[in-house]
Amino acid sequence: MSPQAFFASCPRGLEALLAEELRGLGARNPESLPGGVAFEGDLRICCRANLESRLATRVLLKVGRSPYRSERDVHEGALAIRWSDWFSEKQSIRVDVKAIRSPLTSLEFATLTIKDAVCDRFRSDRGQRPDVDTRSPDIRIQAFLDKDTASFYLDTSGEALNRRGYRRDAGEAPLKENLAAGIVRLAGWNPGDPFLDPMCGSGTLAIEAAMMALAIPPGHARGFGFERLATFDRRIWEETRKEALARRQPPRRLPIFARDRYGDELKKARVNLEAAGLGDCVELKQADILDTGAPADAGVMVANPPYGARLGEDSALAEFYPKLGHTLKKYYSGWRCYFFSGDTRLPKLIRLSASKRTPLFNGPLECRLYEYRMVAGSNRKGAPRAA
Ligand SMILES: C[S@@+](CC[C@H](N)C(=O)[O-])C[C@H]1O[C@@H](n2cnc3c(N)ncnc32)[C@H](O)[C@@H]1O
């Protein structure tokens, strides 16, 4: 079978890492683009990418592409696709449209136009049309409009891939699971080295790190959109799944530490860890980062401090950052420390020199991952860096 074209979307800032990850999973010609990675592959790669990618949000299969200037052209483009090759009129559909620099004035209208074209094509090919179900559709169709080309995709993931299935209790501002995995990867953590999230909330960073350490496929406990496509090959899927699960290591105590100042947050982390089957793998402890030492001589700290979205938190954070910098100097020499934040005051107020600042988006929010390499006496602002 000739290779098919795919697009895997991801949080902006993780495209290059996703391309590397997909290449490792066997994808051909991965190319980083804003918001995701285009690649080629067969059904097996489609299954693997959905099951094993820690960074992708969705894996989309390209089913058509046509030039357009008007809604009418978009309709013609969608009408030209034999949708019944991919799914049946008995399955419900949902259409979503994304656009960059599209000349069309209403994306809502473009969405309706595509839905009508799919239904019209079904009526002429099969005498019946599929129903629309925007809440829990069997089949998700996605169109991407750039300035002159409409591309049509089938979503092979179904629910977004960040929904691994372990999140029972979300906490206040949880990171999306694939963004958390990307942050752990950007921190360059090697499983086996100590890992600490001192402000863990619902535990997402520690859970993703533990799943990496034990080679647990992130999608092992959920279903996928590709299982509902006419091209679904159960044998290929079961083989792919079996191979991935065979690489999984049994749960064991890991040098992964998750802490939070509040017991209620830790309870959420505990519930989520249990749901992920990692109950005894991570050490949970109630502690304030400002007055608790490191759990090991050296390691990687990754934290996502509060954002200050609530009234009054802003000034509290401005007082918190210099104390945080002081804590790092006092307790964390030998550690690489990473803070993921959208608060541009953090790098100034922490009073340490960041050795790296990686731009990364949390949804629409532009954030940075700040790296501080803590070598005794070397990180004071203005001091020569020794690391
Ligand atoms: C933005 S949330 C972290 C969310 C987390 N990454 C997740 O995915 O659920 C920030 C967390 O920092 C905790 N926190 C705030 N101040 C703290 C302190 N001084 N020491 C430890 N934890 C603190 C809060 O309780 C909250 O759970």
Side-chain angles (χ1 to χ4, degrees):
M1 198 177 172
S2 57
Q4 286 167 322
F6 293 91
F7 182 80
S9 57
C10 67
R12 277 162 66 204
L14 292 181
E15 295 90 343
L17 275 185
L18 174 60
E20 201 182 298
E21 182 187 56
L22 290 170
R23 191 187 300 280
L25 293 174
R28 279 199 243 163
N29 304 323
E31 182 192 356
S32 297
L33 297 167
V37 174
F39 67 96
E40 290 164 12
D42 55 14
L43 277 178
R44 199 175 287 275
I45 295 307
C46 175
C47 294
R48 273 199 90 181
N50 275 292
L51 176 66
E52 296 190 59
S53 170
R54 300 187 192 278
L55 309 181
T57 306
R58 293 181 180 279
V59 178
L60 308 173
L61 166 66
K62 196 185 258 186
V63 291
R65 185 172 186 268
S66 54
Y68 82 100
R69 287 165 78 176
S70 63
E71 274 93 1
R72 201 189 158 80
D73 298 335
V74 173
H75 185 273
E76 292 299 309
L79 195 65
I81 297 167
R82 205 159 59 192
W83 296 98
S84 55
D85 283 353
W86 298 102
F87 60 94
S88 112
E89 63 280 6
K90 302 212 165 41
Q91 292 173 294
S92 59
I93 59 167
R94 171 188 167 123
V95 177
D96 288 283
V97 176
K98 295 212 164 115
I100 295 181
R101 288 179 289 142
S102 166
L104 301 189
T105 44
S106 163
L107 290 190
E108 229 167 285
F109 188 61
T111 309
L112 275 180
T113 302
I114 295 167
K115 187 267 294 170
D116 286 345
V118 176
C119 292
D120 289 350
R121 181 72 202 239
F122 259 104
R123 257 196 231 102
S124 87
D125 288 349
R126 309 287 278 254
Q128 271 189 56
R129 52 153 283 185
D131 287 334
V132 170
D133 180 349
T134 51
R135 287 190 127 221
S136 133
D138 295 317
I139 304 290
R140 290 169 190 262
I141 295 166
Q142 208 173 99
F144 179 72
L145 307 178
D146 67 15
K147 68 178 193 326
D148 53 14
T149 307
S151 302
F152 300 96
Y153 297 91
L154 286 168
D155 181 344
T156 69
S157 302
E159 266 217 280
L161 296 177
N162 55 281
R163 296 177 179 255
R164 321 276 204 226
Y166 63 70
R167 187 170 277 169
R168 300 290 139 86
D169 212 334
E172 217 176 83
L175 288 172
K176 287 223 166 107
E177 296 85 335
N178 56 338
L179 176 58
I183 291 171
V184 175
R185 286 256 168 91
L186 283 169
W189 174 66
N190 288 315
D193 291 345
F195 178 96
L196 166 67
D197 178 356
M199 311 176 93
C200 72
S202 61
T204 323
L205 287 159
I207 294 173
E208 290 297 320
M211 286 174 75
M212 283 179 202
L214 298 173
I216 298 174
H220 77 104
R222 50 162 285 165
F224 299 99
F226 63 73
E227 295 171 76
R228 293 190 286 268
L229 293 178
T231 49
F232 176 53
D233 185 325
R234 183 167 299 282
R235 188 184 56 82
I236 290 182
W237 169 224
E238 278 170 5
E239 273 173 21
T240 309
R241 202 175 133 77
K242 211 166 134 192
E243 279 166 24
L245 289 177
R247 290 190 292 272
R248 186 173 54 164
Q249 297 170 24
R252 62 172 190 276
R253 191 55 185 250
L254 298 163
I256 298 181
F257 307 88
R259 300 171 173 177
D260 201 282
R261 184 179 176 187
Y262 301 106
D264 282 355
E265 293 298 318
L266 281 179
K267 261 189 223 150
K268 291 169 192 161
R270 187 173 308 282
V271 168
N272 292 337
L273 273 163
E274 296 284 351
L278 299 166
D280 296 322
C281 304
V282 172
E283 186 191 289
L284 288 177
K285 180 170 154 181
Q286 187 170 356
D288 189 323
I289 185 174
L290 298 182
D291 52 38
T292 318
D297 287 344
V300 174
M301 173 205 281
V302 184
N304 164 218
Y307 279 2
R310 273 182 295 166
L311 212 64
E313 277 180 351
D314 250 20
S315 53
L317 277 172
E319 284 172 30
F320 173 71
Y321 296 138
K323 292 182 191 157
L324 182 59
H326 180 73
T327 302
L328 296 196
K329 280 187 274 179
K330 187 167 166 195
Y331 295 122
Y332 288 91
S333 57
W335 282 68
R336 276 187 290 126
C337 303
Y338 295 83
F339 294 102
F340 176 67
S341 175
D343 190 342
T344 49
R345 296 171 309 165
L346 184 148
K348 291 185 204 101
L349 296 177
I350 198 166
R351 296 186 195 142
L352 299 170
S353 307
S355 36
K356 220 190 260 174
R357 300 160 188 241
T358 309
L360 201 52
F361 281 75
N362 188 0
L365 193 67
E366 185 171 353
C367 297
R368 296 271 182 284
L369 183 66
Y370 299 100
E371 177 191 78
Y372 299 97
R373 288 172 175 265
M374 299 309 298
V375 176
S378 70
N379 282 74
R380 251 169 283 116
K381 266 217 162 130
R385 210 173 300 135

Short mmCIF file of all heavy atoms in Angstrom, two decimals, residues 107-147:
data_model
loop_
_atom_site.label_atom_id
_atom_site.label_comp_id
_atom_site.label_asym_id
_atom_site.label_seq_id
_atom_site.Cartn_x
_atom_site.Cartn_y
_atom_site.Cartn_z
N LEU A 107 -15.86 31.19 9.07
CA LEU A 107 -15.44 29.79 9.18
C LEU A 107 -16.63 28.90 9.52
O LEU A 107 -16.67 27.73 9.17
CB LEU A 107 -14.36 29.62 10.25
CG LEU A 107 -13.00 30.22 9.91
CD1 LEU A 107 -11.96 29.78 10.91
CD2 LEU A 107 -12.55 29.83 8.50
N GLU A 108 -17.59 29.52 10.20
CA GLU A 108 -18.81 28.77 10.55
C GLU A 108 -19.53 28.34 9.27
O GLU A 108 -19.97 27.21 9.14
CB GLU A 108 -19.72 29.68 11.35
CG GLU A 108 -20.25 29.06 12.62
CD GLU A 108 -20.88 30.13 13.47
OE1 GLU A 108 -20.14 30.93 14.09
OE2 GLU A 108 -22.10 30.18 13.48
N PHE A 109 -19.60 29.29 8.34
CA PHE A 109 -20.26 29.00 7.07
C PHE A 109 -19.46 27.94 6.29
O PHE A 109 -20.03 27.02 5.70
CB PHE A 109 -20.45 30.29 6.25
CG PHE A 109 -21.28 30.08 5.03
CD1 PHE A 109 -22.60 29.65 5.14
CD2 PHE A 109 -20.75 30.28 3.76
CE1 PHE A 109 -23.37 29.41 4.01
CE2 PHE A 109 -21.52 30.05 2.62
CZ PHE A 109 -22.83 29.62 2.75
N ALA A 110 -18.13 28.06 6.33
CA ALA A 110 -17.28 27.07 5.64
C ALA A 110 -17.52 25.68 6.25
O ALA A 110 -17.59 24.68 5.52
CB ALA A 110 -15.81 27.46 5.78
N THR A 111 -17.68 25.63 7.57
CA THR A 111 -17.92 24.34 8.24
C THR A 111 -19.24 23.72 7.75
O THR A 111 -19.29 22.53 7.41
CB THR A 111 -18.00 24.58 9.77
OG1 THR A 111 -16.84 25.31 10.17
CG2 THR A 111 -18.05 23.28 10.55
N LEU A 112 -20.28 24.56 7.67
CA LEU A 112 -21.59 24.07 7.20
C LEU A 112 -21.49 23.58 5.76
O LEU A 112 -22.06 22.56 5.38
CB LEU A 112 -22.60 25.21 7.24
CG LEU A 112 -23.30 25.44 8.58
CD1 LEU A 112 -24.27 26.60 8.47
CD2 LEU A 112 -24.05 24.17 8.99
N THR A 113 -20.74 24.36 4.95
CA THR A 113 -20.57 24.02 3.54
C THR A 113 -19.94 22.63 3.38
O THR A 113 -20.36 21.83 2.55
CB THR A 113 -19.63 25.07 2.90
OG1 THR A 113 -20.23 26.33 3.09
CG2 THR A 113 -19.40 24.83 1.44
N ILE A 114 -18.91 22.38 4.21
CA ILE A 114 -18.22 21.07 4.11
C ILE A 114 -19.15 19.96 4.57
O ILE A 114 -19.26 18.91 3.92
CB ILE A 114 -16.91 21.11 4.92
CG1 ILE A 114 -15.95 22.10 4.30
CG2 ILE A 114 -16.29 19.72 5.00
CD1 ILE A 114 -14.77 22.47 5.17
N LYS A 115 -19.85 20.22 5.67
CA LYS A 115 -20.81 19.21 6.17
C LYS A 115 -21.83 18.88 5.08
O LYS A 115 -22.12 17.72 4.80
CB LYS A 115 -21.48 19.75 7.44
CG LYS A 115 -22.37 18.78 8.17
CD LYS A 115 -23.82 18.87 7.78
CE LYS A 115 -24.46 20.18 8.16
NZ LYS A 115 -25.80 20.34 7.57
N ASP A 116 -22.36 19.93 4.41
CA ASP A 116 -23.35 19.71 3.34
C ASP A 116 -22.74 18.89 2.20
O ASP A 116 -23.39 17.99 1.66
CB ASP A 116 -23.83 21.06 2.78
CG ASP A 116 -24.78 21.75 3.75
OD1 ASP A 116 -25.26 21.07 4.68
OD2 ASP A 116 -25.02 22.97 3.61
N ALA A 117 -21.48 19.21 1.86
CA ALA A 117 -20.83 18.50 0.75
C ALA A 117 -20.67 17.02 1.08
O ALA A 117 -20.92 16.15 0.24
CB ALA A 117 -19.47 19.13 0.45
N VAL A 118 -20.26 16.73 2.33
CA VAL A 118 -20.10 15.32 2.74
C VAL A 118 -21.45 14.60 2.62
O VAL A 118 -21.54 13.50 2.07
CB VAL A 118 -19.55 15.23 4.20
CG1 VAL A 118 -19.48 13.78 4.67
CG2 VAL A 118 -18.19 15.90 4.31
N CYS A 119 -22.51 15.26 3.12
CA CYS A 119 -23.84 14.65 3.09
C CYS A 119 -24.33 14.48 1.65
O CYS A 119 -24.90 13.44 1.29
CB CYS A 119 -24.82 15.48 3.92
SG CYS A 119 -24.44 15.41 5.68
N ASP A 120 -24.08 15.51 0.81
CA ASP A 120 -24.50 15.43 -0.60
C ASP A 120 -23.82 14.25 -1.29
O ASP A 120 -24.44 13.51 -2.04
CB ASP A 120 -24.15 16.72 -1.35
CG ASP A 120 -25.04 17.89 -0.92
OD1 ASP A 120 -26.03 17.64 -0.20
OD2 ASP A 120 -24.72 19.05 -1.26
N ARG A 121 -22.53 14.10 -1.02
CA ARG A 121 -21.77 13.03 -1.68
C ARG A 121 -22.28 11.65 -1.22
O ARG A 121 -22.44 10.74 -2.02
CB ARG A 121 -20.28 13.20 -1.35
CG ARG A 121 -19.40 12.16 -1.98
CD ARG A 121 -19.27 12.39 -3.49
NE ARG A 121 -18.88 11.18 -4.18
CZ ARG A 121 -17.79 11.05 -4.92
NH1 ARG A 121 -16.99 12.08 -5.11
NH2 ARG A 121 -17.51 9.92 -5.50
N PHE A 122 -22.60 11.54 0.06
CA PHE A 122 -23.14 10.28 0.58
C PHE A 122 -24.49 9.97 -0.07
O PHE A 122 -24.76 8.84 -0.47
CB PHE A 122 -23.30 10.33 2.10
CG PHE A 122 -22.18 9.62 2.83
CD1 PHE A 122 -21.18 10.33 3.45
CD2 PHE A 122 -22.16 8.24 2.87
CE1 PHE A 122 -20.15 9.68 4.09
CE2 PHE A 122 -21.13 7.57 3.53
CZ PHE A 122 -20.12 8.30 4.15
N ARG A 123 -25.33 11.02 -0.18
CA ARG A 123 -26.66 10.82 -0.77
C ARG A 123 -26.53 10.30 -2.19
O ARG A 123 -27.23 9.39 -2.61
CB ARG A 123 -27.45 12.12 -0.75
CG ARG A 123 -28.49 12.10 0.36
CD ARG A 123 -29.52 13.20 0.16
NE ARG A 123 -29.65 13.97 1.37
CZ ARG A 123 -29.12 15.15 1.59
NH1 ARG A 123 -28.42 15.75 0.65
NH2 ARG A 123 -29.30 15.75 2.73
N SER A 124 -25.57 10.89 -2.94
CA SER A 124 -25.49 10.44 -4.33
C SER A 124 -24.82 9.06 -4.43
O SER A 124 -25.17 8.27 -5.28
CB SER A 124 -24.81 11.50 -5.20
OG SER A 124 -23.44 11.34 -5.17
N ASP A 125 -23.89 8.74 -3.53
CA ASP A 125 -23.21 7.43 -3.60
C ASP A 125 -24.02 6.32 -2.94
O ASP A 125 -23.98 5.17 -3.38
CB ASP A 125 -21.84 7.49 -2.91
CG ASP A 125 -20.82 8.28 -3.71
OD1 ASP A 125 -21.10 8.60 -4.88
OD2 ASP A 125 -19.74 8.58 -3.16
N ARG A 126 -24.72 6.65 -1.83
CA ARG A 126 -25.34 5.59 -1.03
C ARG A 126 -26.83 5.79 -0.78
O ARG A 126 -27.44 4.98 -0.08
CB ARG A 126 -24.63 5.49 0.34
CG ARG A 126 -23.12 5.37 0.25
CD ARG A 126 -22.72 3.99 -0.23
NE ARG A 126 -22.73 3.06 0.85
CZ ARG A 126 -21.63 2.58 1.42
NH1 ARG A 126 -20.44 2.97 0.99
NH2 ARG A 126 -21.72 1.73 2.41
N GLY A 127 -27.37 6.90 -1.26
CA GLY A 127 -28.81 7.14 -1.08
C GLY A 127 -29.18 7.60 0.32
O GLY A 127 -30.36 7.78 0.61
N GLN A 128 -28.24 7.75 1.19
CA GLN A 128 -28.49 8.19 2.57
C GLN A 128 -27.35 9.06 3.05
O GLN A 128 -26.24 8.93 2.55
CB GLN A 128 -28.53 6.96 3.48
CG GLN A 128 -29.90 6.34 3.62
CD GLN A 128 -29.87 5.27 4.72
OE1 GLN A 128 -29.51 5.55 5.84
NE2 GLN A 128 -30.23 4.05 4.35
N ARG A 129 -27.63 9.89 4.05
CA ARG A 129 -26.55 10.76 4.57
C ARG A 129 -26.29 10.49 6.05
O ARG A 129 -27.21 10.05 6.77
CB ARG A 129 -26.92 12.23 4.38
CG ARG A 129 -28.28 12.59 4.93
CD ARG A 129 -28.38 14.02 5.33
NE ARG A 129 -27.73 14.27 6.60
CZ ARG A 129 -27.76 15.44 7.24
NH1 ARG A 129 -28.36 16.48 6.68
NH2 ARG A 129 -27.18 15.59 8.41
N PRO A 130 -25.07 10.72 6.53
CA PRO A 130 -24.80 10.52 7.96
C PRO A 130 -25.42 11.64 8.79
O PRO A 130 -25.66 12.74 8.28
CB PRO A 130 -23.28 10.58 8.04
CG PRO A 130 -22.84 11.33 6.83
CD PRO A 130 -23.88 11.15 5.78
N ASP A 131 -25.67 11.35 10.06
CA ASP A 131 -26.16 12.39 10.98
C ASP A 131 -24.98 13.18 11.52
O ASP A 131 -23.84 12.71 11.52
CB ASP A 131 -26.89 11.75 12.17
CG ASP A 131 -28.24 11.22 11.75
OD1 ASP A 131 -28.80 11.75 10.76
OD2 ASP A 131 -28.71 10.25 12.39
N VAL A 132 -25.31 14.37 12.03
CA VAL A 132 -24.27 15.18 12.68
C VAL A 132 -24.40 15.00 14.19
O VAL A 132 -25.50 14.97 14.72
CB VAL A 132 -24.47 16.67 12.31
CG1 VAL A 132 -23.56 17.56 13.15
CG2 VAL A 132 -24.20 16.88 10.82
N ASP A 133 -23.27 14.81 14.86
CA ASP A 133 -23.26 14.75 16.32
C ASP A 133 -22.02 15.52 16.78
O ASP A 133 -20.90 15.04 16.66
CB ASP A 133 -23.18 13.28 16.78
CG ASP A 133 -23.16 13.15 18.30
OD1 ASP A 133 -22.98 14.17 18.99
OD2 ASP A 133 -23.32 12.02 18.79
N THR A 134 -22.23 16.74 17.27
CA THR A 134 -21.06 17.56 17.61
C THR A 134 -20.44 17.14 18.95
O THR A 134 -19.30 17.44 19.22
CB THR A 134 -21.43 19.06 17.69
OG1 THR A 134 -22.56 19.18 18.55
CG2 THR A 134 -21.74 19.63 16.33
N ARG A 135 -21.22 16.41 19.79
CA ARG A 135 -20.70 16.06 21.12
C ARG A 135 -19.85 14.81 21.10
O ARG A 135 -18.74 14.79 21.61
CB ARG A 135 -21.86 15.86 22.10
CG ARG A 135 -22.49 17.18 22.45
CD ARG A 135 -23.46 17.06 23.56
NE ARG A 135 -23.16 18.01 24.61
CZ ARG A 135 -23.21 17.75 25.89
NH1 ARG A 135 -23.51 16.55 26.31
NH2 ARG A 135 -22.94 18.69 26.77
N SER A 136 -20.40 13.74 20.56
CA SER A 136 -19.59 12.52 20.55
C SER A 136 -19.75 11.82 19.21
O SER A 136 -20.40 10.79 19.09
CB SER A 136 -20.00 11.73 21.79
OG SER A 136 -20.24 10.48 21.59
N PRO A 137 -19.14 12.42 18.18
CA PRO A 137 -19.28 11.88 16.82
C PRO A 137 -18.48 10.58 16.65
O PRO A 137 -17.49 10.38 17.35
CB PRO A 137 -18.68 12.98 15.95
CG PRO A 137 -17.68 13.66 16.84
CD PRO A 137 -18.22 13.57 18.24
N ASP A 138 -18.93 9.75 15.72
CA ASP A 138 -18.12 8.56 15.38
C ASP A 138 -16.90 8.99 14.57
O ASP A 138 -15.81 8.45 14.72
CB ASP A 138 -18.95 7.59 14.53
CG ASP A 138 -20.14 7.03 15.28
OD1 ASP A 138 -19.96 6.68 16.46
OD2 ASP A 138 -21.25 6.97 14.71
N ILE A 139 -17.11 9.97 13.71
CA ILE A 139 -16.07 10.37 12.76
C ILE A 139 -15.87 11.89 12.84
O ILE A 139 -16.84 12.64 12.75
CB ILE A 139 -16.51 10.03 11.31
CG1 ILE A 139 -16.86 8.53 11.16
CG2 ILE A 139 -15.48 10.49 10.28
CD1 ILE A 139 -15.68 7.59 11.25
N ARG A 140 -14.63 12.29 13.02
CA ARG A 140 -14.33 13.73 13.02
C ARG A 140 -13.61 14.08 11.72
O ARG A 140 -12.58 13.47 11.39
CB ARG A 140 -13.41 14.10 14.18
CG ARG A 140 -14.09 13.99 15.53
CD ARG A 140 -13.05 14.09 16.63
NE ARG A 140 -13.63 13.75 17.91
CZ ARG A 140 -14.06 14.64 18.79
NH1 ARG A 140 -13.92 15.92 18.56
NH2 ARG A 140 -14.59 14.26 19.93
N ILE A 141 -14.16 15.09 11.04
CA ILE A 141 -13.55 15.57 9.80
C ILE A 141 -12.94 16.92 10.11
O ILE A 141 -13.58 17.75 10.77
CB ILE A 141 -14.63 15.71 8.70
CG1 ILE A 141 -15.20 14.32 8.37
CG2 ILE A 141 -14.08 16.41 7.45
CD1 ILE A 141 -16.48 14.37 7.56
N GLN A 142 -11.72 17.13 9.68
CA GLN A 142 -11.12 18.43 9.92
C GLN A 142 -10.64 19.03 8.59
O GLN A 142 -10.03 18.33 7.79
CB GLN A 142 -9.95 18.32 10.89
CG GLN A 142 -9.80 19.62 11.65
CD GLN A 142 -8.77 19.56 12.75
OE1 GLN A 142 -7.65 20.00 12.56
NE2 GLN A 142 -9.13 19.04 13.91
N ALA A 143 -10.97 20.30 8.37
CA ALA A 143 -10.47 20.97 7.17
C ALA A 143 -9.51 22.05 7.61
O ALA A 143 -9.71 22.68 8.65
CB ALA A 143 -11.62 21.56 6.38
N PHE A 144 -8.47 22.21 6.83
CA PHE A 144 -7.53 23.28 7.10
C PHE A 144 -7.47 24.18 5.86
O PHE A 144 -7.20 23.71 4.75
CB PHE A 144 -6.15 22.70 7.43
CG PHE A 144 -5.14 23.77 7.68
CD1 PHE A 144 -5.20 24.53 8.84
CD2 PHE A 144 -4.18 24.07 6.73
CE1 PHE A 144 -4.30 25.55 9.06
CE2 PHE A 144 -3.27 25.10 6.94
CZ PHE A 144 -3.33 25.85 8.11
N LEU A 145 -7.75 25.46 6.08
CA LEU A 145 -7.75 26.40 4.95
C LEU A 145 -6.57 27.34 5.09
O LEU A 145 -6.45 28.04 6.10
CB LEU A 145 -9.04 27.24 4.97
CG LEU A 145 -10.36 26.48 5.03
CD1 LEU A 145 -11.54 27.45 5.10
CD2 LEU A 145 -10.52 25.58 3.79
N ASP A 146 -5.67 27.33 4.10
CA ASP A 146 -4.65 28.39 4.09
C ASP A 146 -5.09 29.42 3.06
O ASP A 146 -6.25 29.45 2.68
CB ASP A 146 -3.22 27.84 3.90
CG ASP A 146 -3.00 27.25 2.53
OD1 ASP A 146 -3.83 27.51 1.63
OD2 ASP A 146 -2.00 26.54 2.34
N LYS A 147 -4.21 30.23 2.55
CA LYS A 147 -4.70 31.34 1.74
C LYS A 147 -5.36 30.90 0.43
O LYS A 147 -6.27 31.56 -0.04
CB LYS A 147 -3.62 32.40 1.52
CG LYS A 147 -2.46 32.00 0.65
CD LYS A 147 -1.53 33.20 0.52
CE LYS A 147 -0.48 33.07 -0.56
NZ LYS A 147 0.06 31.74 -0.81
#
